[in-house]
């Protein structure tokens, strides 16, 4: 069947739908962002892209700091609301009943109801067209301890019921299909046969 020809566009979905907190002691704000992601591991760096006309754009330019707060099923309404209402007109933390908790490494508050708060300092702003890209270094990460196994210390983020954005709609994540590297990892039975074969060969 012949493929349909769509006009060029940003159809890289799904994406995280995050609440970005920004501003300073004069004014704190929240903005919903889906244009976000990781761009470097060492140093840890990420980005958000924001339209110039958004109220948060000026706050980001003024302070050079922000916090990316991951969102969950419970935060779905707040995430959408903060994306369609302006901080010029509302105190979004107050309106959505969210807790503005102090961050450790930046002067921007984090959303205490979020399972992960990623504290960022802007390193570069790229003017791209409809959006400016704020490239930032991750200077701290705070996580909700309820998702940390007290015995092993493993962080079970999969239990947070994270939310994603895809083509104008919000979704929770589905079933796990595998883990990184599972496609090439040897299955226990195969590994056992290979070990037995190696022992026989060594004995010969």
């Amino acid at each position: 069947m012949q493929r349909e020809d769509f006009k060029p566009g940003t159809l890289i979905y799904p994406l995280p739908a995050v609440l970005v907190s920004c501003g300073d002691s004069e004014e704190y704000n929240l903005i919903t962002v889906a244009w976000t992601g990781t761009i470097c591991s060492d140093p840890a760096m990420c980005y958000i892209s924001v339209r110039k006309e958004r109220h948060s754009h000026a706050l980001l330019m003024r302070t050079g700091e922000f916090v990316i707060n991951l969102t969950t099923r419970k935060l779905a309404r707040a995430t959408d609301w903060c994306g369609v209402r302006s901080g010029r007109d509302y105190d979004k933390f107050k309106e959505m009943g969210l807790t503005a908790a102090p961050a450790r490494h930046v002067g921007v508050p984090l959303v205490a109801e979020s399972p992960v708060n990623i504290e960022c300092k802007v390193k570069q702003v790229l003017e791209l067209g409809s959006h400016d890209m704020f490239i930032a270094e991750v200077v701290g990460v705070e996580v909700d301890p309820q998702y940390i196994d007290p015995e092993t210390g493993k962080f079970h983020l999969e239990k947070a019921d994270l939310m994603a954005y895809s083509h104008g709609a919000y979704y929770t994540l589905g079933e796990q299909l595998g883990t990184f590297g599972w496609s090439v990892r040897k299955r226990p039975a195969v590994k056992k046969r290979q070990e037995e074969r190696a022992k026989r060969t060594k004995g010969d």
Side-chain angles (χ1 to χ4, degrees), residues 13 18 22 34 48-49 72 87 89 105 112 120 126 132 137 142 163 170 177 193:
Y13 293 116
V18 300
C22 56
I48 59 172
S49 289
T72 64
D89 307 316
H105 305 281
C120 305
L126 298 179
D132 283 355
E137 182 176 358
E142 299 190 31
M163 185 173 69
Y170 303 99
L177 302 178
R193 286 198 298 270

Side-chain angles (χ1 to χ4, degrees), residues 89-102:
D89 307 316
Y90 298 94
D91 178 338
K92 295 185 182 182
F93 278 99
K94 181 179 178 181
E95 293 289 335
M96 289 292 99
L98 298 174
T99 306

Side-chain angles (χ1 to χ4, degrees), residues 16-22 29-36 48-51 54 56 67 69 71 75-85 87 92 96 98 131 163 165 170:
V18 300
L19 282 170
V20 174
S21 42
C22 56
N29 193 39
L30 289 169
I31 180 174
T32 302
V33 170
W35 293 179
T36 182
I48 59 172
S49 289
V50 180
R51 291 181 181 272
R54 296 296 294 268
S56 293
V67 178
N69 306 278
T71 59
L75 290 170
R77 182 175 182 275
T79 302
D80 183 65
W81 194 92
C82 288
V84 296
R85 292 287 184 262
K92 295 185 182 182
M96 289 292 99
L98 298 174
H131 291 66
M163 185 173 69
Y165 177 80
Y170 303 99

Side-chain angles (χ1 to χ4, degrees), residues 10 15-16 18 20 31-39 46-54 56-57 60 66 68 122 124-136:
T10 51
L15 293 165
V18 300
V20 174
I31 180 174
T32 302
V33 170
W35 293 179
T36 182
T38 299
I39 53 176
C46 60
Y47 81 94
I48 59 172
S49 289
V50 180
R51 291 181 181 272
K52 284 185 173 68
E53 60 268 25
R54 296 296 294 268
S56 293
H57 187 282
L60 291 163
F66 60 88
I68 295 176
V122 177
Q124 185 178 2
V125 180
L126 298 179
E127 296 187 44
L128 300 176
S130 63
H131 291 66
D132 283 355
M133 175 186 282
F134 293 82
I135 297 175

